[in-house]
Amino acid sequence: MPVTANEELLDYATSCALPTPWAQFTLHAFVEHATGKEHLAMTLGDIGDGEPVLARVHSECLTGDVLFSQRCDCGAQLEGALRKIAAEGRGILLYLRQEGRGIGLVNKMRAYRLQEAGVDTVEANLQLGFHADARNYTLCQPMFAQFGITRLRLMTNNPRKIDALEKLGIEVAERVPLLVNRNAFNNSYLNTKEAKLGHLMTPLAEAVAEDGEL
C-alpha cells in the first residue's frame, strides 16, 4: 500500500485488523521521517468514495487515553469518536504522536504541577517556554491522501484544527461536535480551552454528568 502524497514526510509501514468493543477497525501505521515517530490511522468501511468522511484527528494523550486521567477530556473524546464511527459504519481516526499539545509527556506533567499551584493550562505551557498549543497537522494531508480522502465531516470542538486542515487542502464539509461530560477535575481545563483557545464547548448546565457531578 504505497504512500500516495508527500512521501518525503512519512512512510506507510503496515496494517492489521483491530477488534474493539465497538467495531473491527483496520489499524494502519506510518513512520515520520524527521522524528521516527509512529503515527496511526484507524479506518472502517468504504472511505475512499469521494463523499465527506466522518473523521477525527486525535493527538496522543497517554494520561487520558491510557491511564484514565480525569484532568482532560481526551480519553472520553477518543472513545466517543470511535463509537460514532462504528455507529455510522465508515470513518477514519488519525492518532498523531504529539503529546501534551505538542510539548511531550514529561513537560505536560511539569505543566500539571504548575496547574496544581494555581495557573491554568495555557499559562502553564507559556511559563515552561512553549506555545499554548504547539501541535502541527501537516502530516494529516499525506495520511488522509493514503486513503483517497479529501473531504471530512470532522469531529472536533476546535476551529483552529479546521483552519489548519483547510490550509492543507483538506475540505471540512461539516464540523461534528465531540462533547463529553465535565467533572470536578477537568471543568477549569475545559473553561480555559473555551476562553483562551477558542474551543466550542457546550454550556456547563448541559454537560453535567448523570451522577450529578461537575
Side-chain angles (χ1 to χ4, degrees), residues 133-197:
D133 189 342
R135 289 176 293 181
N136 186 303
Y137 298 102
T138 304
L139 295 179
C140 294
Q141 191 279 329
M143 292 177 76
F144 281 130
Q146 173 71 45
F147 307 102
I149 294 171
T150 58
R151 305 173 68 207
L152 309 177
R153 294 170 52 232
L154 186 67
M155 291 181 279
T156 186
N157 306 323
N158 184 1
R160 297 183 186 185
K161 186 182 294 184
I162 295 173
D163 291 342
L165 293 178
E166 290 189 332
K167 287 178 181 177
L168 294 170
I170 301 166
E171 178 188 345
V172 179
E174 178 187 356
R175 184 185 76 86
V176 179
L178 191 59
L179 300 165
V180 298
N181 287 336
R182 296 173 183 248
N183 60 62
F185 301 100
N186 72 15
N187 186 52
S188 176
Y189 164 83
L190 296 178
N191 287 340
T192 299
K193 288 210 299 184
E194 181 177 25
K196 293 189 175 182
L197 296 175

Side-chain angles (χ1 to χ4, degrees), residues 76-142:
Q77 285 192 322
L78 177 62
E79 179 176 333
L82 293 176
R83 285 181 181 275
K84 286 178 179 290
I85 292 171
E88 184 140 323
R90 66 189 292 267
I92 182 169
L93 183 142
L94 302 188
Y95 195 88
L96 304 181
R97 306 297 297 279
Q98 43 186 2
E99 178 79 46
R101 295 202 303 274
I103 68 174
L105 178 60
V106 171
N107 283 318
K108 183 173 79 169
M109 292 173 64
R110 290 176 176 140
Y112 282 164
R113 289 296 300 271
L114 291 173
Q115 291 171 50
E116 290 166 5
V119 304
D120 65 36
T121 180
V122 168
E123 292 165 348
N125 277 28
L126 296 177
Q127 285 188 23
L128 291 171
F130 300 106
H131 293 293
D133 189 342
R135 289 176 293 181
N136 186 303
Y137 298 102
T138 304
L139 295 179
C140 294
Q141 191 279 329

